[in-house]
Amino acid sequence: MNSHSSSENSEAYIALGANLGDREATLLEAIHRLNRHPEITILRCSSLYETDPVGYVDQPNFINMALALQTTLEPERLLTVMLQIELDLGRERHIHWGPRTVDLDLLWMEGRTLDTPRLTLPHPRMHERAFVLVPLAEIVPATETTGLYPYVQHALTSGGGKEGVRLWKECSWPSASGHSAN
């Protein structure tokens, strides 16, 4: 049997960000929607960080965070679920790196490499984005076995830095012991 068959659980890491509307409420709603999916369970949630915009800088500050989740979905199917949640929460794509109600990026999935027109794994720019690395470093255990922990630690110490990333508040989403009741 393929070690990544759709019936087996994979651990995946997602970056979340928002800079329009009620940023925290939107991020928490995205987490709830992910966790309500029958093939996704949220494992860990980072703190929320207020971050300066990158790329297109004439926009409000972001709130960024990271999630660890367990899923039986294949990477591209997980991406489809994430993109649908973005749309359902009002995401519009007008300006590259521009303002957004919510952004969900699949960063890493069991150390798998993938390069398709829709998805590249690991995320090709996460090593240069402090707004991704800082929350991710908070939730990737040192015992993680697919190489993400040393990857994140190396990126943080070799230039990823922590510039423009400020702890905003702890995540108020409950620790996941399974799917939420609602």
Side-chain angles (χ1 to χ4, degrees):
M1 177 186 268
N2 179 336
S3 65
H4 292 291
S5 75
S6 60
S7 64
E8 293 183 15
N9 280 318
S10 295
E11 191 161 293
Y13 290 84
I14 295 176
L16 298 87
N19 75 337
L20 295 176
D22 186 337
R23 302 170 299 174
E24 179 183 8
T26 302
L27 294 178
L28 293 176
E29 181 59 26
I31 295 169
H32 284 293
R33 288 174 186 232
L34 284 165
N35 201 54
R36 279 196 305 257
H37 191 283
E39 295 182 78
I40 297 172
T41 301
I42 305 300
L43 301 173
R44 293 178 300 283
C45 173
S46 78
S47 298
L48 286 78
Y49 293 84
E50 187 168 47
T51 62
D52 300 333
V54 173
Y56 180 74
V57 297
D58 186 20
Q59 60 181 317
N61 285 343
F62 281 83
I63 298 295
N64 288 98
M65 64 186 306
L67 294 177
L69 58 85
Q70 195 168 53
T71 184
T72 54
L73 298 172
E74 288 296 316
E76 290 206 35
R77 179 69 184 112
L78 177 57
L79 177 66
T80 299
V81 169
M82 292 164 53
L83 293 173
Q84 186 60 55
I85 290 170
E86 286 184 353
L87 286 173
D88 292 346
L89 294 177
R91 170 78 189 263
E92 296 178 358
R93 297 173 185 268
H94 297 300
I95 300 171
H96 188 58
W97 292 328
R100 60 205 76 161
T101 54
V102 68
D103 184 31
L104 304 176
D105 287 327
L106 182 54
L107 303 172
W108 186 274
M109 195 163 178
E110 294 285 330
R112 296 165 80 172
T113 56
L114 187 66
D115 192 4
T116 71
R118 292 186 67 221
L119 179 62
T120 301
L121 285 176
H123 191 286
R125 290 171 302 284
M126 73 174 165
H127 68 280
E128 56 195 39
R129 295 177 169 176
F131 64 87
V132 169
L133 293 170
V134 172
L136 197 53
E138 190 180 312
I139 63 167
V140 177
T143 56
E144 185 274 335
T145 60
T146 67
L148 183 57
Y149 181 80
Y151 177 94
V152 170
Q153 297 307 312
H154 179 262
L156 277 171
T157 58
S158 66
K162 298 180 180 182
E163 303 80 32
V165 178
R166 298 162 300 280
L167 179 63
W168 192 61
K169 70 187 298 186
E170 298 297 314
C171 181
S172 61
W173 193 81
S175 174
S177 60
H179 288 278
S180 60
N182 20 348

